[in-house]
Amino acid sequence: MSVEPLRLMHVHAHPDDESSKGAATTAKYVAEGVDVTVVTCTGGERGDVLNPKIDPATIDDIQAVRRAEMEAAREILGVHQDWLGFVDSGWPEGDPKPPLPEGCFALVPVEEAAEPLVRLIRSVRPHVMTTYDERGGYPHPDHIACHNVSMEAYRAAADPERYPDAGEPWQVAKLYFHHTFNRPRAVAIGEAMEAAGLVSPYAERLAQWKPDPAWDARITTRVPCGEYFEVRDRALLAHATQIDPDGFWFAVPMEIQQATWPHEDFELVESHVPTELPETDLFAGLRDAPWPA
């Protein structure tokens, strides 16, 4: 028995993460009628202006700009979006690295930071939830905090004894980690670029990226979504302060991307419904089995 509508929740650290990680998968499911909610933990207030075509001096209120960018990306992807309301921790630079700013997301105790996410999970009642792995995807303090808070909220949302004032308990059926930027993908696309006589944008990184077969083997689920890469790119470009339209993100021709790696990659962490690995669908096991609506 199918559950209608299916509901998916992505938990991300900053505005723009929802467009750079799993956005084609999001667009695919939205097109299929899935109800998708993006949760953004921080406002991205301390994010640098990474687009060289924009002069940071022309921006008076970066938080307002990033909220407007998020609104534009949300419309392109067709999702609901909620802010948890925490303050960006920034990327600490230096050796040794300086302490994180007082009051930032990464310094908020996990149980305190999880409460608004528990409330959202119990309100939205997603069947599937995605977040970052324990490394954060990359070691930004907010990404690691996002992982920790997501794991706490995922477990607590189903427990009637935890956060009793945050709504009726809800058990998310399946939990996934993003593995968008994995080495096998970079190798495959890099080889395809070279075969086409083009320069791979991954060459420098791959030269320093040590193979880790055990880590790569954690990928369980590859969602075919190449036809939605164009939607992903439009959502990325909506984050104009963060994305250079002539930069790294768009260095690989679309036809090479779609021919070489036409899917996005995830790790199934926990499932409360039967499923067989590998998967091609985050909702495998849910489409033909009853689950609370």
Side-chain angles (χ1 to χ4, degrees):
M1 182 177 72
S2 297
V3 178
E4 294 294 344
L6 293 169
R7 296 183 294 274
L8 171 62
M9 176 179 284
H10 298 303
V11 186
H12 289 289
H14 308 108
D16 77 61
D17 287 325
E18 84 298 325
S19 298
S20 62
K21 302 163 190 68
T25 296
T26 295
K28 165 191 166 70
Y29 284 129
V30 168
E32 293 177 359
V34 173
D35 194 339
V36 182
T37 296
V38 167
V39 180
T40 312
C41 293
T42 78
E45 301 89 345
R46 291 191 170 95
D48 294 327
V49 175
L50 301 178
N51 185 348
K53 298 173 180 62
I54 295 178
D55 181 357
T58 64
I59 299 175
D60 295 326
D61 186 344
I62 188 64
Q63 183 175 17
V65 169
R66 298 211 66 187
R67 279 184 170 265
E69 291 174 345
M70 182 69 246
E71 183 175 351
R74 182 193 72 211
E75 290 296 321
I76 291 166
L77 291 172
V79 300
H80 309 287
Q81 190 260 341
D82 290 281
W83 303 91
L84 287 195
F86 296 105
V87 177
D88 191 337
S89 303
W91 177 253
E93 295 184 279
D95 188 14
K97 292 183 177 181
L100 294 173
E102 184 177 351
C104 70
F105 177 49
L107 294 182
V108 178
V110 170
E111 289 196 359
E112 177 183 337
E115 193 276 342
L117 182 53
V118 169
R119 191 176 295 276
L120 273 174
I121 291 171
R122 290 177 175 175
S123 172
V124 174
R125 297 162 66 90
H127 301 99
V128 174
M129 176 174 156
T130 76
T131 189
Y132 309 146
D133 60 64
E134 66 273 18
R135 298 178 182 176
Y138 79 111
H140 190 296
D142 286 337
H143 283 242
I144 294 170
C146 180
H147 164 81
N148 293 333
V149 168
S150 296
M151 296 304 294
E152 164 71 8
Y154 164 77
R155 296 189 176 104
D159 186 345
E161 296 185 2
R162 304 288 308 282
Y163 304 93
D165 297 326
E168 293 297 317
W170 174 256
Q171 176 66 69
V172 178
K174 300 178 80 176
L175 175 70
Y176 288 89
F177 292 159
H178 288 274
H179 280 266
T180 302
F181 306 112
N182 58 76
R183 194 175 186 280
R185 174 182 179 273
V187 169
I189 292 179
E191 291 175 348
M193 289 285 283
E194 292 169 5
L198 302 171
V199 177
S200 169
Y202 305 122
E204 183 176 344
R205 183 176 182 185
L206 281 170
Q208 303 173 358
W209 196 344
K210 295 180 180 179
D212 187 349
W215 183 264
D216 298 337
R218 288 175 54 166
I219 294 172
T220 62
T221 310
R222 290 195 160 108
V223 179
C225 53
E227 64 186 291
Y228 296 97
F229 285 174
E230 183 272 335
V231 181
R232 172 204 65 192
D233 287 357
R234 285 196 290 117
L236 263 175
L237 288 168
H239 294 282
T241 57
Q242 301 294 297
I243 303 296
D244 180 356
D246 300 315
F248 169 87
W249 292 102
F250 308 102
V252 180
M254 182 65 72
E255 59 269 21
I256 289 180
Q257 295 183 55
Q258 292 173 327
T260 307
W261 208 268
H263 45 78
E264 291 177 333
D265 305 327
F266 300 84
E267 174 188 352
L268 177 61
V269 181
E270 190 169 312
S271 180
H272 295 272
V273 295
T275 187
E276 294 184 7
L277 302 180
E279 300 174 319
T280 59
D281 181 9
L282 300 184
F283 294 96
L286 278 163
R287 295 186 186 274
D288 299 314
W291 189 259

